[in-house]
Amino acid sequence: MSDMDVLLSMGFDPARVQWALKATGNRGLQPAMDHILENEGKPVPDISGVSETSGASRPSAGGGEPMDEDEDEDAAALRAVYGTGSAGAAAAAADVEAKSIKCSLCGKIFRNTALANYHAEKSGHDQFEESTEEIKPLTEEEKKQKLAELREKMAAKRAIKEKESAKEDKANEAIRRKAGRDMNEIREELKHKELIKEAEAKRREKVEDAKARAAIKAQIEADKKARAEKAAKEKALREGRAYTESAPTAASAAPSAAASSSISSGVAGRDYPQTRLQIRMASGGPPYTTTLSSDATLREVAEFLAGQTLSVDVETVSLAQHFPRKAFTHADFSRTLRELGLTPSAVLIAS
């Protein structure tokens, strides 16, 4: 309800209400009410758009002032019924004088046309009739009582609105906190999964390294035995005696070589998605380590090394492996690390 609605419901004159609202700059109900009470005895300035149709006596037919067409017609009808200039006609005219305007749809009574028009705009009602019922103006005590009631209603509405606002703020805060907790839980869960994934990857790397070291160690032992056999054979030939290869040694060497070959081929033949490489320079210095896809070519390894040090050229660098001993040619640069048996890890020498 607007300030004008509140003041009009208290029974104040619409022209005086509009004057008060304009004079106070529409600053609210209390300034307008104070203005009305302070200027109650003063005349209302002429404000366009406000008309008073009640509260003022209509000019009588015999008052010396001209009457409008409606009044002429009413007077002619009365004269036709009661006779011209009779006292009964004057009494009848006084009886039919409208004191207020009544809404035919809802039955509300209004003091003047301005209030009736305002009611029509708000409610959409369009049927009104004149009424002889007079609306008495509010006394000072009734005005004060009405104002106090309105203030109490406004305070109650304000309290309800503040309570609803506080409740809504509390609900929004709860939603915000819940969303924050959910986000923290999601982050913690993702972090936990990442840690588990990293731990599993490290565990696999350790197992693969252990298998690779076992294969290399077996190959070294097989190479040592083969060199010992070769040295013993050469010594026997130099001394001019026949060399007889011991059966246990040969028998043990064959299974050892077979086991070494089996382990080496088993480690290299597994489908490892990535390969960890340690590349050492023949001239010395700290090694370079990297992890590449097992499908990467040996040329990509050379390009990585060339990106780490200016002393290496991709077109001239040579790569070799100590265990098992193997030198790679430039024809091998187009082969993958899996095809060369360098998975899951290997140590290369660059020169």
Side-chain angles (χ1 to χ4, degrees), residues 216-226 256:
I216 292 173
K217 186 176 181 180
Q219 184 65 37
I220 292 173
E221 292 296 329
D223 291 343
K224 286 182 179 179
K225 290 181 180 180
S256 175

Side-chain angles (χ1 to χ4, degrees), residues 1-15 17-19 21 26 28-29 32 49-50 114-115 118 122:
M1 182 180 286
S2 64
D3 295 340
M4 186 171 184
D5 295 340
V6 174
L7 294 172
L8 291 176
S9 65
M10 296 174 63
F12 290 115
D13 181 69
V17 170
Q18 291 187 2
W19 177 36
L21 292 174
N26 291 319
L29 179 63
V50 178
L115 291 175
Y118 185 76
K122 290 293 184 180

Side-chain angles (χ1 to χ4, degrees), residues 227-238 241 243:
R227 288 195 296 271
E229 290 290 335
K230 184 179 180 180
K233 186 177 181 179
E234 290 177 353
K235 183 178 180 182
L237 292 175
R238 286 196 303 270
R241 56 185 178 83
Y243 173 74

Side-chain angles (χ1 to χ4, degrees), residues 329-349:
T329 64
H330 280 272
D332 296 326
F333 275 29
S334 60
R335 300 177 64 187
T336 64
L337 301 179
R338 182 181 285 107
E339 292 173 350
L340 295 173
L342 298 177
T343 58
S345 61
V347 178
L348 299 178
I349 306 298

